[in-house]
Amino acid sequence: MIKAATIQKYYGDLEVLKGVDIQIDTGEIVSIVGPSGAGKTTLLQILGTLDTPTNKPVSRIEIKGIDVTKLNDKKLAKFRNENIGFIFQFHQLLPEFTALENVCIPAFIKKTPKAEAEKRGKELLDFLGLSHRHGHRPKELSGGEQQRVAVARSLINAPSVIFADEPSGNLDSESAENLHQLFFKLREEFGQTFVIVTHNKELADMADRKLTMVDGLIVNPIA
């Protein structure tokens, strides 16, 4: 599903990623752990095409067999919208829109017909236990409910891979546990690949594979 090689990233003179190689199989749930400042979020953003490696001419990032570093901005945005989902620590829901409207935004960007997008959005919200929250705005939802809306939004276009950055970092322990179990349920239902950056030991240990980053490198690439 994902093959990346020689990923470097500099911010000024600071080398954040020092030539990272990583391979993730289809349907795999991989956690990435390590101390703050190790480069975990930077790597996730680059793998998710939200950022680019500094050494772009020699680096390679393949997702579904496509080298995304070779795509122009328009093609990359289209590829990202259709193939990649994101879940962040802070749900980033738009406060003026309902739960259903927030979920449907990526589908509208894809130009999915409104009726089709809303049908799929309702199905996802129902699947996530939010059938009674379609018309509620974010301020009317609990933290756990807001994060489940964000999960539904990440799934609306049926992406092949979902990148999650500290997805339970802003949740209480019960909501966090429910979210962790949900990832595995989603993998079973929809076959998605998950790459999860987390400081949560329980979530990290649940993954099929746990990768540890230290000082800009993965120190256990075969683990």
Side-chain angles (χ1 to χ4, degrees), residues 30 49 83 95 102 107 109 111 115 161 174 196 216-218:
V30 173
T49 74
N83 295 281
N102 268 283
I109 292 172
K111 301 189 184 307
V161 58
E174 181 180 358
I196 306 169
L217 287 169
I218 293 174

PDB file of all heavy atoms in Angstrom, residues 30 49 83 95 102 107 109 111 115 161 174 196 216-218:
ATOM      1  N   VAL A  30      -0.613   0.211  11.541  1.00  0.00           N
ATOM      2  CA  VAL A  30       0.747   0.468  12.022  1.00  0.00           C
ATOM      3  C   VAL A  30       0.731   1.680  12.940  1.00  0.00           C
ATOM      4  O   VAL A  30       0.159   2.726  12.597  1.00  0.00           O
ATOM      5  CB  VAL A  30       1.707   0.717  10.843  1.00  0.00           C
ATOM      6  CG1 VAL A  30       3.082   1.145  11.345  1.00  0.00           C
ATOM      7  CG2 VAL A  30       1.827  -0.536   9.991  1.00  0.00           C
ATOM      8  N   THR A  49       0.880  13.291   2.016  1.00  0.00           N
ATOM      9  CA  THR A  49       0.972  14.290   0.926  1.00  0.00           C
ATOM     10  C   THR A  49       0.584  15.700   1.350  1.00  0.00           C
ATOM     11  O   THR A  49       0.333  16.554   0.509  1.00  0.00           O
ATOM     12  CB  THR A  49       0.137  13.881  -0.314  1.00  0.00           C
ATOM     13  OG1 THR A  49      -1.262  14.065  -0.051  1.00  0.00           O
ATOM     14  CG2 THR A  49       0.405  12.432  -0.715  1.00  0.00           C
ATOM     15  N   ASN A  83      -8.179   9.074  -2.157  1.00  0.00           N
ATOM     16  CA  ASN A  83      -7.493   7.883  -1.648  1.00  0.00           C
ATOM     17  C   ASN A  83      -7.019   7.957  -0.204  1.00  0.00           C
ATOM     18  O   ASN A  83      -6.630   6.937   0.360  1.00  0.00           O
ATOM     19  CB  ASN A  83      -6.274   7.582  -2.531  1.00  0.00           C
ATOM     20  CG  ASN A  83      -6.649   7.206  -3.943  1.00  0.00           C
ATOM     21  OD1 ASN A  83      -7.047   6.076  -4.204  1.00  0.00           O
ATOM     22  ND2 ASN A  83      -6.535   8.159  -4.860  1.00  0.00           N
ATOM     23  N   PRO A  95     -17.561  24.778  12.749  1.00  0.00           N
ATOM     24  CA  PRO A  95     -18.605  24.970  13.758  1.00  0.00           C
ATOM     25  C   PRO A  95     -19.957  25.374  13.202  1.00  0.00           C
ATOM     26  O   PRO A  95     -20.987  25.131  13.833  1.00  0.00           O
ATOM     27  CB  PRO A  95     -18.034  26.072  14.656  1.00  0.00           C
ATOM     28  CG  PRO A  95     -17.041  26.797  13.798  1.00  0.00           C
ATOM     29  CD  PRO A  95     -16.455  25.747  12.892  1.00  0.00           C
ATOM     30  N   ASN A 102     -20.504  18.393   7.884  1.00  0.00           N
ATOM     31  CA  ASN A 102     -19.058  18.254   8.058  1.00  0.00           C
ATOM     32  C   ASN A 102     -18.552  16.966   7.421  1.00  0.00           C
ATOM     33  O   ASN A 102     -17.518  16.954   6.746  1.00  0.00           O
ATOM     34  CB  ASN A 102     -18.704  18.271   9.544  1.00  0.00           C
ATOM     35  CG  ASN A 102     -18.390  19.653  10.067  1.00  0.00           C
ATOM     36  OD1 ASN A 102     -17.309  20.193   9.846  1.00  0.00           O
ATOM     37  ND2 ASN A 102     -19.347  20.242  10.772  1.00  0.00           N
ATOM     38  N   ALA A 107     -16.676  14.736   0.173  1.00  0.00           N
ATOM     39  CA  ALA A 107     -17.455  14.210  -0.958  1.00  0.00           C
ATOM     40  C   ALA A 107     -17.902  15.337  -1.875  1.00  0.00           C
ATOM     41  O   ALA A 107     -17.901  15.188  -3.111  1.00  0.00           O
ATOM     42  CB  ALA A 107     -18.661  13.437  -0.445  1.00  0.00           C
ATOM     43  N   ILE A 109     -16.279  18.120  -2.315  1.00  0.00           N
ATOM     44  CA  ILE A 109     -15.062  18.524  -3.028  1.00  0.00           C
ATOM     45  C   ILE A 109     -14.812  17.593  -4.206  1.00  0.00           C
ATOM     46  O   ILE A 109     -14.370  18.013  -5.282  1.00  0.00           O
ATOM     47  CB  ILE A 109     -13.857  18.523  -2.065  1.00  0.00           C
ATOM     48  CG1 ILE A 109     -14.017  19.642  -1.023  1.00  0.00           C
ATOM     49  CG2 ILE A 109     -12.544  18.700  -2.830  1.00  0.00           C
ATOM     50  CD1 ILE A 109     -12.983  19.611   0.073  1.00  0.00           C
ATOM     51  N   LYS A 111     -17.053  16.344  -5.879  1.00  0.00           N
ATOM     52  CA  LYS A 111     -18.185  16.572  -6.776  1.00  0.00           C
ATOM     53  C   LYS A 111     -19.158  15.393  -6.800  1.00  0.00           C
ATOM     54  O   LYS A 111     -19.825  15.118  -7.813  1.00  0.00           O
ATOM     55  CB  LYS A 111     -17.707  16.923  -8.193  1.00  0.00           C
ATOM     56  CG  LYS A 111     -16.822  18.164  -8.238  1.00  0.00           C
ATOM     57  CD  LYS A 111     -16.554  18.607  -9.643  1.00  0.00           C
ATOM     58  CE  LYS A 111     -15.585  19.788  -9.678  1.00  0.00           C
ATOM     59  NZ  LYS A 111     -15.983  20.925  -8.830  1.00  0.00           N
ATOM     60  N   ALA A 115     -27.244  14.224  -2.930  1.00  0.00           N
ATOM     61  CA  ALA A 115     -28.068  13.147  -2.367  1.00  0.00           C
ATOM     62  C   ALA A 115     -27.222  11.909  -2.072  1.00  0.00           C
ATOM     63  O   ALA A 115     -27.393  11.262  -1.031  1.00  0.00           O
ATOM     64  CB  ALA A 115     -29.204  12.795  -3.323  1.00  0.00           C
ATOM     65  N   VAL A 161      -6.277   4.457   2.550  1.00  0.00           N
ATOM     66  CA  VAL A 161      -5.408   4.589   3.719  1.00  0.00           C
ATOM     67  C   VAL A 161      -5.852   5.777   4.554  1.00  0.00           C
ATOM     68  O   VAL A 161      -6.276   6.805   4.023  1.00  0.00           O
ATOM     69  CB  VAL A 161      -3.928   4.738   3.294  1.00  0.00           C
ATOM     70  CG1 VAL A 161      -3.721   5.929   2.384  1.00  0.00           C
ATOM     71  CG2 VAL A 161      -3.007   4.836   4.511  1.00  0.00           C
ATOM     72  N   GLU A 174     -12.317   6.634  28.448  1.00  0.00           N
ATOM     73  CA  GLU A 174     -13.369   5.780  27.886  1.00  0.00           C
ATOM     74  C   GLU A 174     -13.572   6.057  26.408  1.00  0.00           C
ATOM     75  O   GLU A 174     -13.668   5.129  25.589  1.00  0.00           O
ATOM     76  CB  GLU A 174     -14.686   5.972  28.639  1.00  0.00           C
ATOM     77  CG  GLU A 174     -15.811   5.085  28.112  1.00  0.00           C
ATOM     78  CD  GLU A 174     -17.114   5.268  28.867  1.00  0.00           C
ATOM     79  OE1 GLU A 174     -17.141   6.059  29.844  1.00  0.00           O
ATOM     80  OE2 GLU A 174     -18.113   4.612  28.491  1.00  0.00           O
ATOM     81  N   ILE A 196      -0.904   5.325  12.346  1.00  0.00           N
ATOM     82  CA  ILE A 196      -1.330   6.099  13.519  1.00  0.00           C
ATOM     83  C   ILE A 196      -0.118   6.561  14.326  1.00  0.00           C
ATOM     84  O   ILE A 196       0.653   5.744  14.839  1.00  0.00           O
ATOM     85  CB  ILE A 196      -2.251   5.256  14.426  1.00  0.00           C
ATOM     86  CG1 ILE A 196      -3.434   4.694  13.627  1.00  0.00           C
ATOM     87  CG2 ILE A 196      -2.737   6.082  15.608  1.00  0.00           C
ATOM     88  CD1 ILE A 196      -4.241   3.648  14.378  1.00  0.00           C
ATOM     89  N   GLY A 216      14.617  11.428  14.132  1.00  0.00           N
ATOM     90  CA  GLY A 216      14.403  11.507  12.706  1.00  0.00           C
ATOM     91  C   GLY A 216      14.573  10.222  11.920  1.00  0.00           C
ATOM     92  O   GLY A 216      14.587  10.231  10.692  1.00  0.00           O
ATOM     93  N   LEU A 217      14.681   9.099  12.627  1.00  0.00           N
ATOM     94  CA  LEU A 217      14.839   7.796  11.967  1.00  0.00           C
ATOM     95  C   LEU A 217      13.935   6.761  12.616  1.00  0.00           C
ATOM     96  O   LEU A 217      13.672   6.825  13.825  1.00  0.00           O
ATOM     97  CB  LEU A 217      16.282   7.316  12.031  1.00  0.00           C
ATOM     98  CG  LEU A 217      17.305   8.029  11.137  1.00  0.00           C
ATOM     99  CD1 LEU A 217      18.711   7.608  11.519  1.00  0.00           C
ATOM    100  CD2 LEU A 217      17.034   7.741   9.664  1.00  0.00           C
ATOM    101  N   ILE A 218      13.479   5.790  11.837  1.00  0.00           N
ATOM    102  CA  ILE A 218      12.790   4.628  12.402  1.00  0.00           C
ATOM    103  C   ILE A 218      13.863   3.644  12.832  1.00  0.00           C
ATOM    104  O   ILE A 218      14.699   3.218  12.024  1.00  0.00           O
ATOM    105  CB  ILE A 218      11.850   3.999  11.356  1.00  0.00           C
ATOM    106  CG1 ILE A 218      10.708   4.968  11.039  1.00  0.00           C
ATOM    107  CG2 ILE A 218      11.287   2.673  11.879  1.00  0.00           C
ATOM    108  CD1 ILE A 218       9.800   4.497   9.919  1.00  0.00           C
TER     109      ILE A 218
END
